[in-house]
């Protein structure tokens, strides 16, 4: 059996970890900017304030899940931010910063697409790959537990 090439595992794991760290930093910055935006809209009428709050929560929720591996959610987040800027739900200078932060994710998204195509995705773990080669889908457990409920449990003798 031929051993797969695992030389790229370390690089891919490092890239995925870096993407995750950048995403969380980006999300925290956007959440902070949304709070500043909410503070700026405090004097708005209640109806508009509630709609801005709902919009902000939805945008933040989608932004949280817009990791580099999910480019469609990134696009949706950018569109929502653009709509918020147009309708005045986000101050234009704050909205442009948030939009810029998410647009900085595009190169990471391209890397994530490449990573997804690599052998060993998503774990990039040498031991896991070797175990899957040895056992894979043909793994048969030593003990069968299928018919346990049909048989009575043997009594344990007391000493």
């Amino acid at each position: 059996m031929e051993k797969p090439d695992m030389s790229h595992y370390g690089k891919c794991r490092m890239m995925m970890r870096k993407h995750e760290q950048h995403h969380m930093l980006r999300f925290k910055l956007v959440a902070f900017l949304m709070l500043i935006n909410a503070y700026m809209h405090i004097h708005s009428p209640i109806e508009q304030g509630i709609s801005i709050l709902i919009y902000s929560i939805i945008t933040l929720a989608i932004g949280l899940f817009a990791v580099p591996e999910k480019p469609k959610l990134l696009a949706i987040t950018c569109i929502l931010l653009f709509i918020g800027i147009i309708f005045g739900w986000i101050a234009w200078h704050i909205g442009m910063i948030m939009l810029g932060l998410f647009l900085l994710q595009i190169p990471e998204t391209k890397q994530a697409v490449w990573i997804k195509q690599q052998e060993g995705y998503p774990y990039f773990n040498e031991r896991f790959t070797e175990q899957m080669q040895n056992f894979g889908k043909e793994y048969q457990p030593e003990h069968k537990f299928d018919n346990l409920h049909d048989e009575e449990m043997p009594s344990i003798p007391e000493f």
Side-chain angles (χ1 to χ4, degrees):
M1 182 166 9
E2 195 174 310
K3 195 168 186 172
D5 178 27
M6 295 183 235
S7 61
H8 64 284
Y9 281 16
K11 179 182 176 184
C12 291
R13 273 194 311 262
M14 183 185 71
M15 288 171 65
M16 287 177 67
R17 200 171 304 121
K18 185 176 78 171
H19 291 174
E20 183 180 336
Q21 290 170 347
H22 288 172
H23 174 69
M24 288 312 297
L25 177 64
R26 186 179 302 114
F27 176 75
K28 288 174 185 175
L29 286 171
V30 168
F32 177 71
L33 290 170
M34 280 288 192
L35 285 173
I36 291 173
N37 184 62
Y39 179 75
M40 292 175 66
H41 284 89
I42 268 183
H43 303 293
S44 302
I46 291 179
E47 297 84 24
Q48 185 181 6
I50 291 174
S51 62
I52 290 172
L53 177 68
I54 292 170
Y55 162 80
S56 298
I57 290 171
I58 291 171
T59 304
L60 280 176
I62 293 174
L64 177 63
F65 295 110
V67 294
E69 292 83 15
K70 299 178 181 175
K72 289 180 183 176
L73 287 179
L74 174 62
I76 291 170
T77 304
C78 290
I79 290 169
L80 283 173
L81 288 171
F82 189 69
I83 289 171
I85 293 168
I86 290 174
F87 286 108
W89 298 333
I90 299 177
W92 69 270
H93 52 283
I94 293 176
M96 294 306 285
I97 294 171
M98 287 190 276
L99 190 59
L101 285 170
F102 277 108
L103 290 177
L104 286 175
Q105 187 174 325
I106 292 174
E108 290 180 355
T109 302
K110 291 178 182 179
Q111 286 178 345
V113 169
W114 176 80
I115 290 173
K116 282 175 125 178
Q117 297 169 352
Q118 301 308 305
E119 187 174 339
Y121 178 81
Y123 304 109
F124 296 112
N125 185 311
E126 292 85 357
R127 182 176 170 138
F128 181 77
T129 303
E130 288 173 2
Q131 286 178 343
M132 289 307 290
Q133 270 190 324
N134 293 338
F135 299 107
K137 294 178 183 174
E138 301 166 7
Y139 173 73
Q140 296 295 320
E142 286 184 41
H143 307 285
K144 295 194 183 258
F145 297 105
D146 297 339
N147 299 327
L148 272 182
H149 63 281
D150 295 340
E151 299 174 14
E152 289 185 26
M153 291 285 290
S155 60
I156 300 174
E158 293 186 26
F159 291 100

